[in-house]
Amino acid sequence: MGLLRQSEKLGLPLMNLVRFKGMPILDQLNLEEKLLRTTSDNWCIVNDGANAPTVVMGVSGKPAELLELESVIGDNVPVIKRFTGGGTVIVDEGTIFVTLICNKDAVPKVQPYPRSIMSWSGKLYDEVFQGIGDFQLRENDYVFGNRKFGGNAQSITKDRWIHHTSFLWDYEDRNMTYLKLPSRAPEYRSARDHTEFVCRMREYLQRSAFIDKTIKALDNYFMVQPATPADVNSCQVAKFAHSTRLLSKQELEDACSSTKPGTIAQSASI
């Protein structure tokens, strides 16, 4: 209660900070959606690494257009379709996740629209990366120079919004081969393949330093209060229908079959 009074005195909204290490990305996304839709608090979730390589697609993503499906299926790589928009990424233990869930009036002058939220996030991370590399917000990506290291996705409800980011602190080159070059890509990408388009944050700063700097930057906008997983569980409703889901092997095989010439010709003749 003392922290709440202090927050009101300073005129800053309260932000609950929850930290995880190696939380499965499906569990993380389910938690985020539940907090967005069933609570009225502001949340920051930091997950330091996923437990296993996993492909995560936006809500409207199509596996046949975005993934090298034969390799994905052959290597048993899980594919998740999340509840937010945005592009397709592959995440693993080298990925750092930062999620912001806010009420629409939590940040002054930030409107509940994608461009406004993205612009503010660019200012936030400009504070995090001050003096480190050539940080920029380019289109919807965080970059050093012209190399991407942070991908963003959002969802906006009537009174709240979520902005979550996967940061490439490190990655395996092999994992990037599961992703196709998307037909819709940022102009600055210039048709570069994934290994030429992205970069590793570890070449610029330590992992723990990035997390610490992010939390410190949030202090300029919120009264940040650490919360535990037990605190999170205590404010959730018992039943909630998540829209993020793991695609089945059959769905991936069907998508793969639909791209083969014989299947396409057969479908066209029906």
Side-chain angles (χ1 to χ4, degrees), residues 257 259-268:
S257 297
T259 64
K260 295 179 179 179
T263 305
I264 296 174
Q266 184 179 11
S267 299

Side-chain angles (χ1 to χ4, degrees), residues 42-116:
N42 300 310
W43 299 90
C44 174
I45 299 172
V46 178
N47 184 19
D48 189 3
N51 67 325
T54 306
V55 171
V56 184
M57 305 173 59
V59 65
S60 60
K62 298 179 179 180
E65 297 177 2
L66 298 168
L67 305 178
E68 297 292 351
L69 282 170
E70 290 189 0
S71 297
V72 168
I73 295 168
D75 294 343
N76 294 312
V77 179
V79 178
I80 291 171
K81 184 169 285 193
R82 64 177 180 265
F83 69 98
T84 57
T88 300
V89 296
I90 182 161
V91 302
D92 58 19
E93 63 182 11
T95 311
I96 303 174
F97 307 91
V98 179
T99 298
L100 302 172
I101 303 171
C102 297
N103 292 316
K104 67 177 183 179
D105 57 353
V107 185
K109 299 182 180 179
V110 175
Q111 301 298 314
Y113 301 106
R115 185 170 297 180
S116 180

Side-chain angles (χ1 to χ4, degrees), residues 13-253:
L14 194 67
M15 170 71 80
N16 297 294
L17 171 66
V18 192
R19 298 182 62 168
F20 298 96
K21 186 171 180 63
M23 185 182 198
I25 186 60
L26 181 59
D27 293 346
Q28 178 188 329
L29 290 165
N30 284 339
L31 173 62
E32 291 175 2
E33 186 177 12
K34 203 168 190 178
L35 292 175
L36 173 69
R37 303 192 189 281
T38 68
T39 75
S40 58
D41 299 317
N42 300 310
W43 299 90
C44 174
I45 299 172
V46 178
N47 184 19
D48 189 3
N51 67 325
T54 306
V55 171
V56 184
M57 305 173 59
V59 65
S60 60
K62 298 179 179 180
E65 297 177 2
L66 298 168
L67 305 178
E68 297 292 351
L69 282 170
E70 290 189 0
S71 297
V72 168
I73 295 168
D75 294 343
N76 294 312
V77 179
V79 178
I80 291 171
K81 184 169 285 193
R82 64 177 180 265
F83 69 98
T84 57
T88 300
V89 296
I90 182 161
V91 302
D92 58 19
E93 63 182 11
T95 311
I96 303 174
F97 307 91
V98 179
T99 298
L100 302 172
I101 303 171
C102 297
N103 292 316
K104 67 177 183 179
D105 57 353
V107 185
K109 299 182 180 179
V110 175
Q111 301 298 314
Y113 301 106
R115 185 170 297 180
S116 180
I117 297 168
M118 189 68 67
S119 177
W120 172 75
S121 79
K123 295 176 183 177
L124 174 72
Y125 286 108
D126 192 48
E127 298 172 26
V128 174
F129 296 109
Q130 187 172 13
I132 301 172
D134 179 20
F135 171 76
Q136 301 174 59
L137 170 62
R138 298 195 66 172
E139 299 183 45
N140 295 323
D141 299 332
Y142 303 140
V143 303
F144 288 130
N146 68 347
R147 303 284 291 271
K148 175 180 178 179
F149 68 90
N152 302 287
Q154 300 173 348
S155 181
I156 301 171
T157 67
K158 179 182 177 183
D159 298 312
R160 290 162 64 73
W161 52 262
I162 179 172
H163 177 88
H164 51 191
T165 307
S166 55
F167 290 96
L168 293 174
W169 189 80
D170 199 4
Y171 61 85
E172 297 288 340
D173 288 335
R174 161 67 176 164
N175 288 344
M176 293 298 165
T177 64
Y178 295 122
L179 307 179
K180 288 183 177 180
L181 184 67
S183 58
R184 295 178 60 186
E187 184 177 347
Y188 79 93
R189 180 166 184 162
S190 301
R192 288 176 290 168
D193 65 25
H194 292 287
T195 56
E196 292 297 320
F197 177 52
V198 299
C199 66
R200 295 173 169 88
M201 284 177 61
R202 67 176 175 81
E203 298 173 1
Y204 295 86
L205 79 168
Q206 294 183 348
R207 192 167 187 150
S208 59
F210 164 68
I211 295 174
D212 291 343
K213 285 176 177 289
T214 299
I215 295 170
K216 183 178 180 181
L218 283 171
D219 271 330
N220 295 325
Y221 301 92
F222 300 92
M223 176 65 69
V224 178
Q225 173 178 283
T228 67
D231 295 328
V232 175
N233 291 332
S234 68
C235 68
Q236 296 184 59
V237 297
K239 294 182 179 180
F240 178 76
H242 302 104
S243 56
T244 295
R245 65 186 187 89
L246 178 69
L247 299 188
S248 68
K249 184 177 181 180
Q250 187 63 55
E251 286 178 286
L252 297 176
E253 290 177 343

